Each structure stands twice: as structure tokens, then as C-alpha cells.
Amino acid sequence: MTQHCGLVAVLGAPNAGKSTLVNALVGQKVAIVSPKAQTTRTRLLGVAIEGETQILLVDTPGIFEPQRRFDRAMVAAAWGGTEGADVTALVVDAKGGLGPKVMPIVESIAGRPERKFLILNKVDIADKARLLVHAEKLNAAAHFDETFFVSASTGDGLAELKKALSYAMPEGPWHFPEDQVSDATERALAAEVTREQLYLQLHAELPYASAVETEAFTEREDGSVEIRQQILVERPTQRAIVLGKGGSRIKEIGARARAQLNELLDRPVHLYLHVKVKPGWDEDREVYRDIGLDWVD
């Protein structure tokens, strides 16, 4: 059988459900998910397989109006992830509708040469009567090759979408071994898992004022791995929030992150977390490099 392999750029406004969709198509977790918009910060590749076809899904940060350098770096990473794509897949939150963040993205991809798929996500909780209205407006603006109505969280419509993506991939050898689901290193994945717990447990209390750096990732002789991470915050008050009363919050963050890493890395994990106050960390070139973002002027 002839192999096929191609690149799909997954674009959309913040909180459209791009990471949940990529995880669902891959069949396991490769991107972190939280109810918080702009959870994804860097370009991440998920590898999905459909028959003899390998689909390389680039999960990108949500595209929004950047306010600061860190925002500009995330938006640059999103557009950078579309380079060389065989398909651009625009994910739209069908429940949220066509807000001011959606149409500028549609207009900016309208003239692109590659195939364009429109994916209306969250149809399980959207107003059914408005779905076709949304689809018509978006297709009028960008002339999508195909339109899909899916729910990444329930799985509705995903089999048809995955098949259609596989048909759109060019002939060519696979880029990754069959058992590899992402291009992220284990070190980077460990930092993302801890950051996801920060977002899930401190949703409203800690806005975007935090980052996680994996300082050490050491294989032990018994086959387990020791991971030491630094959580960067901007102010002492934020450090107190992350630590919690008597260190209770940091323990819970560590426990849940450790449990997930045990599963993802398929071996015992010893996780040590340290919270450091670093004012202006989002203006530090080294932090950008560690996170995986390019510095932007």
C-alpha cells in the first residue's frame, strides 16, 4: 500500500477547541487543555494515523489582537505553523459564534492556495439553528473546500473529518515512527503538564502571569525519572497563591501533574516544584527559548 503524509495547520481564535480537537484526532493527549483562552503558547505537532496516511497536525496558539511582546510571539508562532501546510483547518467555536476575533482570521486565509477546511466545533452545545447560518457566512468570506460539524469533546463527526483529512494528504513516506504521537520532547511535555494544572486549579486567581521551566530531567538507575521545575510568577502575591495555605496548593498541583506524567511517560516520575518570583519574565529572551517561542521585536 502507498503511504501518504501531509501537514494540517489548525488555526482559530482563542478557546475554539483546537487543542481538544488535535488530541481527539491523535487519539491521546499531546496538547494541554483548559477552559482558559490562549492556553496553547507555542506551535505543537500531533501525529494522527488513518489507514496508510500520517496526518501531521500543527496545533497553534489562538490568533488574537496582541497587546504585548509575549502575545506577539504567540501570534507569530500561530502564523508560522501554517507554512507549508497541505490543508489549513479553521476551527470555530460554534457556540460562541462569529465574534470579532473570527472574521479577521477568515479574511487572512481566504486567498491562501492550499485546501481549506472549515470545522465548526462544540456542536453538542451550540444552537443548531445558527450552525448553517455560521457556515454560510464563513464560506461566503473564504470559500472553504469542505465544511464539518464536530464536537471534539464527544467525538461527534470526528471520524468523517479524519477520513477527509487523510484523503487530502499527498503521497509520500511517513515522517514519524508509527508509535510517535508528537514532536514535543519529554522535557517540554513535562513543563506543559504542570502549566495545565496551574491553569485548571488557579483559573481566575492566576492570569497569564506564570510560566513553567523544566530545569532538570534526570533518568534514575531504577528506570524512573526525576523532574525539577521552576514556576515563574511576577509578584510575591502570586507566589503565595501558587503555594496555597501551608503549601497545600503546590502539593495538589504537583500530585496531579505527577499522576499524568506517570501515565504519559509510562514510568514512575519524581516531580519537584519550586516557585520563583521573577518580575518581567515575559521580557526575558531565555524564558522565550525555554518555552519554545521565537523572540519578537
Side-chain angles (χ1 to χ4, degrees), residues 120-150:
L120 283 154
N121 188 26
K122 307 184 187 180
V123 296
D124 54 316
I125 54 173
D127 179 348
K128 303 293 185 284
R130 296 183 66 96
L131 286 174
L132 289 174
V133 176
H134 292 336
E136 280 177 19
K137 279 188 182 173
L138 291 163
N139 271 287
H143 306 293
F144 289 93
D145 294 279
E146 298 197 46
T147 299
F148 299 88
F149 300 91
V150 309

Side-chain angles (χ1 to χ4, degrees), residues 18-157:
K18 299 178 293 297
S19 297
T20 305
L21 180 69
V22 168
N23 288 340
L25 290 170
V26 171
Q28 72 179 76
K29 185 169 194 147
V30 293
I32 71 169
V33 177
S34 90
K36 208 172 185 64
Q38 299 161 35
T39 298
T40 301
R41 284 181 171 173
T42 62
R43 167 209 152 289
L44 181 136
L45 191 72
V47 184
I49 292 171
E50 177 72 16
E52 294 299 311
T53 301
Q54 194 170 69
I55 308 163
L56 310 180
L57 298 149
V58 181
D59 181 23
T60 61
I63 295 173
F64 55 99
E65 194 64 45
Q67 303 296 321
R68 53 193 182 134
R69 188 193 304 276
F70 196 66
D71 296 342
R72 294 200 304 277
M74 287 198 288
V75 172
W79 285 118
T82 68
E83 287 175 18
D86 298 289
V87 172
T88 291
L90 176 68
V91 184
V92 175
D93 176 352
K95 183 175 186 292
L98 312 185
K101 293 175 180 173
V102 176
M103 293 315 289
I105 304 172
V106 176
E107 287 157 15
S108 61
I109 64 172
R112 293 176 70 98
E114 70 270 13
R115 288 168 66 82
K116 292 183 284 291
F117 284 11
L118 171 61
I119 303 169
L120 283 154
N121 188 26
K122 307 184 187 180
V123 296
D124 54 316
I125 54 173
D127 179 348
K128 303 293 185 284
R130 296 183 66 96
L131 286 174
L132 289 174
V133 176
H134 292 336
E136 280 177 19
K137 279 188 182 173
L138 291 163
N139 271 287
H143 306 293
F144 289 93
D145 294 279
E146 298 197 46
T147 299
F148 299 88
F149 300 91
V150 309
S151 168
S153 58
T154 66
D156 288 352

Side-chain angles (χ1 to χ4, degrees), residues 23-292:
N23 288 340
L25 290 170
V26 171
Q28 72 179 76
K29 185 169 194 147
V30 293
I32 71 169
V33 177
S34 90
K36 208 172 185 64
Q38 299 161 35
T39 298
T40 301
R41 284 181 171 173
T42 62
R43 167 209 152 289
L44 181 136
L45 191 72
V47 184
I49 292 171
E50 177 72 16
E52 294 299 311
T53 301
Q54 194 170 69
I55 308 163
L56 310 180
L57 298 149
V58 181
D59 181 23
T60 61
I63 295 173
F64 55 99
E65 194 64 45
Q67 303 296 321
R68 53 193 182 134
R69 188 193 304 276
F70 196 66
D71 296 342
R72 294 200 304 277
M74 287 198 288
V75 172
W79 285 118
T82 68
E83 287 175 18
D86 298 289
V87 172
T88 291
L90 176 68
V91 184
V92 175
D93 176 352
K95 183 175 186 292
L98 312 185
K101 293 175 180 173
V102 176
M103 293 315 289
I105 304 172
V106 176
E107 287 157 15
S108 61
I109 64 172
R112 293 176 70 98
E114 70 270 13
R115 288 168 66 82
K116 292 183 284 291
F117 284 11
L118 171 61
I119 303 169
L120 283 154
N121 188 26
K122 307 184 187 180
V123 296
D124 54 316
I125 54 173
D127 179 348
K128 303 293 185 284
R130 296 183 66 96
L131 286 174
L132 289 174
V133 176
H134 292 336
E136 280 177 19
K137 279 188 182 173
L138 291 163
N139 271 287
H143 306 293
F144 289 93
D145 294 279
E146 298 197 46
T147 299
F148 299 88
F149 300 91
V150 309
S151 168
S153 58
T154 66
D156 288 352
L158 291 188
E160 295 84 351
L161 170 60
K162 195 172 181 182
K163 208 168 269 314
L165 287 170
S166 73
Y167 291 150
M169 298 297 98
E171 191 176 308
W174 287 9
H175 288 209
F176 294 93
E178 191 170 354
D179 59 352
Q180 188 169 339
V181 295
S182 171
D183 66 343
T185 64
E186 290 184 335
R187 189 186 185 99
L189 182 67
E192 286 290 271
V193 167
T194 300
R195 188 164 66 87
E196 179 180 49
Q197 285 304 321
L198 277 171
Y199 280 0
L200 291 175
Q201 295 192 44
L202 300 169
H203 182 52
E205 298 169 87
L206 194 73
Y208 298 97
S210 62
V212 178
E213 293 182 310
T214 299
E215 297 180 297
F217 192 102
T218 313
E219 310 268 352
R220 289 185 175 179
E221 285 185 10
D222 62 3
S224 65
V225 63
E226 179 180 310
I227 303 171
R228 294 186 179 273
Q229 292 177 335
Q230 187 163 258
I231 298 170
L232 301 178
V233 294
E234 292 182 324
R235 296 191 294 276
T237 50
Q238 292 165 345
R239 181 174 185 271
I241 289 169
V242 176
L243 289 173
K245 192 174 181 181
S248 58
R249 180 58 67 191
I250 192 80
K251 279 180 190 163
E252 185 64 17
I253 289 166
R256 292 194 195 178
R258 188 184 307 109
Q260 219 176 102
L261 286 168
N262 283 336
E263 196 178 320
L264 286 170
L265 302 179
D266 197 24
R267 53 192 152 150
V269 170
H270 310 276
L271 180 63
Y272 301 93
L273 301 178
H274 169 67
V275 188
K276 180 181 178 181
V277 178
K278 185 172 184 175
W281 65 260
D282 59 348
E283 290 289 327
D284 185 325
R285 281 178 186 265
E286 278 191 26
V287 173
Y288 279 63
R289 190 190 64 232
D290 290 343
I291 289 173

